[in-house]
Amino acid sequence: MTSHGLRRYRAQTFVHLVWATWQRAPMITAARRRMIHRAIAGQARKMGCVILALGGMEDHIHLFVWFPPTLAIAELVGRAKGASSYIVNSSGPAAEAFKWQGGYGAFTVGPNQVDIVARYVKRQSQRHATGRLSEALESYALEPSD
């Protein structure tokens, strides 16, 4: 983690974000996953974040970032959700519009836990397949809201 963003600030703010699709519908298909991830990553980078891991399942996303101290979490999540919804909905006709739930989970992570959380996020499909999930890291994504 020696990117330019980390050297500008004396802050070690690592945030693990989790949010779900509308009504937990499995809307993140293989065909959509890449464009959704690109849109989310693009927004995060534009806002000065350093992406440490990005992953998820058909019904939720995990984004783990180094967070600049000048940015509000709600602003990042709102823009990431908006950009990803826009790209999916403008990519062609769909049986149902792509939409995220209104809420999200945000968890700060200590510097000595960065590698553990990054691995957790990157290995979402294996963890869900085996049921080896962290209740603390999945709790928000697993609860329906809105």
CSV table of all heavy atoms in Angstrom, one decimal, residues 44 47-49 67-76:
chain,number,residue,atom,x,y,z
A,44,ALA,N,-14.7,5.1,-6.4
A,44,ALA,CA,-13.9,5.1,-5.2
A,44,ALA,C,-12.6,5.8,-5.5
A,44,ALA,O,-12.1,6.6,-4.7
A,44,ALA,CB,-13.7,3.7,-4.6
A,47,MET,N,-12.7,9.5,-5.8
A,47,MET,CA,-12.9,10.2,-4.6
A,47,MET,C,-11.7,10.1,-3.6
A,47,MET,O,-11.7,10.5,-2.5
A,47,MET,CB,-14.2,9.7,-3.9
A,47,MET,CG,-15.4,9.9,-4.8
A,47,MET,SD,-16.9,9.3,-4.1
A,47,MET,CE,-17.3,10.6,-3.0
A,48,GLY,N,-10.6,9.5,-4.2
A,48,GLY,CA,-9.4,9.5,-3.4
A,48,GLY,C,-9.1,8.2,-2.6
A,48,GLY,O,-8.2,8.2,-1.8
A,49,CYS,N,-10.0,7.2,-2.7
A,49,CYS,CA,-9.8,6.0,-2.0
A,49,CYS,C,-8.8,5.1,-2.6
A,49,CYS,O,-8.6,5.2,-3.9
A,49,CYS,CB,-11.2,5.2,-1.9
A,49,CYS,SG,-12.4,6.1,-0.9
A,67,PHE,N,-9.4,5.0,3.3
A,67,PHE,CA,-10.3,6.1,3.2
A,67,PHE,C,-9.6,7.5,3.5
A,67,PHE,O,-9.1,7.6,4.6
A,67,PHE,CB,-11.4,5.9,4.2
A,67,PHE,CG,-12.8,6.4,3.8
A,67,PHE,CD1,-13.5,5.6,3.0
A,67,PHE,CD2,-13.2,7.6,4.2
A,67,PHE,CE1,-14.8,6.0,2.6
A,67,PHE,CE2,-14.5,8.0,3.9
A,67,PHE,CZ,-15.3,7.3,3.1
A,68,PRO,N,-9.7,8.4,2.6
A,68,PRO,CA,-9.1,9.7,2.9
A,68,PRO,C,-9.9,10.5,4.0
A,68,PRO,O,-11.1,10.4,4.0
A,68,PRO,CB,-9.1,10.5,1.6
A,68,PRO,CG,-10.2,9.9,0.8
A,68,PRO,CD,-10.3,8.4,1.3
A,69,PRO,N,-9.2,11.2,4.9
A,69,PRO,CA,-9.9,11.8,6.0
A,69,PRO,C,-10.8,13.0,5.6
A,69,PRO,O,-11.5,13.5,6.4
A,69,PRO,CB,-8.7,12.3,6.9
A,69,PRO,CG,-7.6,12.4,6.0
A,69,PRO,CD,-7.7,11.4,4.9
A,70,THR,N,-10.7,13.4,4.3
A,70,THR,CA,-11.5,14.5,3.8
A,70,THR,C,-12.9,14.0,3.2
A,70,THR,O,-13.7,14.8,2.8
A,70,THR,CB,-10.8,15.2,2.7
A,70,THR,OG1,-10.4,14.3,1.7
A,70,THR,CG2,-9.5,15.9,3.3
A,71,LEU,N,-13.1,12.7,3.2
A,71,LEU,CA,-14.3,12.2,2.6
A,71,LEU,C,-15.3,11.6,3.6
A,71,LEU,O,-14.9,11.0,4.6
A,71,LEU,CB,-13.9,11.1,1.6
A,71,LEU,CG,-14.9,10.3,0.8
A,71,LEU,CD1,-15.6,11.3,-0.1
A,71,LEU,CD2,-14.2,9.2,0.0
A,72,ALA,N,-16.6,11.8,3.3
A,72,ALA,CA,-17.6,11.2,4.1
A,72,ALA,C,-18.0,9.8,3.6
A,72,ALA,O,-18.1,9.7,2.4
A,72,ALA,CB,-18.9,12.1,4.1
A,73,ILE,N,-18.2,8.9,4.5
A,73,ILE,CA,-18.6,7.5,4.1
A,73,ILE,C,-19.8,7.5,3.2
A,73,ILE,O,-19.9,6.9,2.2
A,73,ILE,CB,-18.7,6.6,5.3
A,73,ILE,CG1,-17.3,6.4,5.9
A,73,ILE,CG2,-19.3,5.3,4.9
A,73,ILE,CD1,-17.4,5.7,7.3
A,74,ALA,N,-20.8,8.3,3.7
A,74,ALA,CA,-22.1,8.3,3.0
A,74,ALA,C,-22.0,8.8,1.5
A,74,ALA,O,-22.6,8.3,0.6
A,74,ALA,CB,-23.1,9.2,3.7
A,75,GLU,N,-21.1,9.8,1.3
A,75,GLU,CA,-20.8,10.3,0.0
A,75,GLU,C,-20.2,9.2,-0.9
A,75,GLU,O,-20.7,9.0,-2.1
A,75,GLU,CB,-19.9,11.5,0.1
A,75,GLU,CG,-19.7,12.2,-1.3
A,75,GLU,CD,-18.9,13.4,-1.2
A,75,GLU,OE1,-18.5,13.8,-0.1
A,75,GLU,OE2,-18.6,14.0,-2.3
A,76,LEU,N,-19.2,8.5,-0.4
A,76,LEU,CA,-18.6,7.4,-1.2
A,76,LEU,C,-19.7,6.3,-1.6
A,76,LEU,O,-19.8,6.0,-2.7
A,76,LEU,CB,-17.5,6.8,-0.5
A,76,LEU,CG,-16.9,5.5,-1.2
A,76,LEU,CD1,-16.4,5.7,-2.6
A,76,LEU,CD2,-15.9,4.8,-0.3
